[in-house]
Amino acid sequence: MKRFEEKVVLVTGGNRNTGLDIVERFVRDGAKVYMCGSSAASTERGAAILASRGVEGVVSQACDISDLAQVTALFDTIEKGSGRLDILVNNAANQGLGHGGPLEMDPAKFHEVFNVNVIGGFQVTQMACNRFFMKQETRGAVVFLSSNTAMRAIRGRTAYCSSKGAINSMVRALALDLAPLGIRVNCCAPGYIYTERWDVLDPAKAARRRLNCPLRREAKGSDIANVVAFLASSDSSNMTGEIVTCDAGCSCQHMPEDVDV
Ligand SMILES: NC(=O)c1ccc[n+]([C@@H]2O[C@H](COP(=O)([O-])OP(=O)(O)OC[C@H]3O[C@@H](n4cnc5c(N)ncnc54)[C@H](OP(=O)(O)O)[C@@H]3O)[C@@H](O)[C@H]2O)c1
């Protein structure tokens, strides 16, 4: 029997980059997977990429997770299609890029990032619990995607780093309240992940980033999918409220090698 056979999984932001690899991982391990992007066009693009990779049976539906009506519609689809949900992966994120520094950024942009990363993640989780997990004998597992920038900030990304810190705290708070109910909530905190954004990166900058990693490489989406799969599976059945860092050792070093004297 495959690891996630008979399991139903929802991956938010499953239409692009890391989300695609997470979706693929669950499908290859036997799960029925639902995924969403924020718009119809981006979701359809993701569905086409999955089909081209031979990843079959995925149900995709556009859902802006910051919009409760769209979240409800997505859960209606899951209810109609599968009647249950076992695993929720809160992967979708607003990267908060191009906002400028904290002195000049528009505070409305800060709201946008929090509305997706924090409020969106919360309301999808709440709906997963109330509509499915609490009604099932085998409750459910939630995995959030945070970031190592929750612990060590990066420049020009105030809203994003703050939102990831909030996710880490939310994971612990949710885990505490939901543990007596049999629902586990854990989190993977990645460092650099190879995405399409690396394709247009100055090679010197990419090399510098890799030098910043003790393991000398960024994560592949599949590295992150491995951690997510572990946290979603019964292999981690005694873990909840954990933030598992997957960042090639970046967080354990004081300084990158070339400035370490
Ligand atoms: N890439 C990294 O180096 C890195 C490092 C640390 C942590 N992480 C975290 O790991 C996760 C995956 O990263 P990634 O780089 O693969 O992400 P990404 O390329 O930025 O993709 C973000 C995903 O979230 C979706 N999304 C954005 N806003 C949404 C909304 N309002 N409603 C629903 N979906 C929405 C996007 O859908 P659309 O296509 O419709 O926009 C897209 O699928 C994220 O949580 C990210 O913060 C990434």
Side-chain angles (χ1 to χ4, degrees), residues 32-201:
K32 172 74 188 172
V33 180
Y34 291 77
M35 71 83 165
C36 70
S38 66
S39 71
S42 66
T43 305
E44 278 162 28
R45 262 198 310 276
I49 296 169
L50 289 166
S52 73
R53 290 189 192 179
V55 179
E56 288 171 357
V58 177
V59 177
S60 54
Q61 178 170 320
C63 172
D64 176 347
I65 60 163
S66 66
D67 178 343
L68 193 53
Q70 292 187 41
V71 174
T72 303
L74 177 61
F75 277 75
D76 287 346
T77 298
I78 298 171
E79 183 130 44
K80 213 181 272 177
S82 297
R84 65 178 293 116
L85 183 71
D86 300 283
I87 293 161
L88 166 63
V89 183
N90 283 310
N91 167 74
N94 179 322
Q95 296 285 341
L97 290 163
H99 292 174
L103 301 186
E104 61 273 9
M105 74 178 285
D106 177 355
K109 294 286 178 195
F110 208 102
H111 280 284
E112 276 174 23
V113 172
F114 265 64
N115 280 344
V116 176
N117 299 3
V118 184
I119 314 291
F122 173 74
Q123 60 193 14
V124 175
T125 303
Q126 186 186 51
M127 205 169 292
C129 292
N130 285 330
R131 284 192 60 168
F132 294 112
F133 297 167
M134 288 307 294
K135 296 179 180 157
Q136 296 165 190
E137 202 180 323
T138 317
R139 289 289 162 80
V142 182
V143 183
F144 276 83
L145 273 292
S146 163
S147 167
N148 65 355
T149 64
M151 295 155 290
R152 288 157 202 263
I154 47 175
R155 290 170 181 80
R157 301 280 291 281
T158 305
Y160 177 79
C161 295
S162 306
S163 75
K164 293 300 185 177
I167 287 173
N168 284 7
S169 295
M170 180 162 63
V171 163
R172 294 188 197 99
L174 287 170
L176 202 60
D177 284 337
L178 297 175
L181 306 174
I183 299 167
R184 298 187 303 113
V185 185
N186 287 294
C187 179
C188 172
Y192 297 121
I193 310 170
Y194 189 90
T195 65
E196 62 204 3
R197 293 186 289 278
W198 283 63
D199 294 338
V200 290
L201 199 63

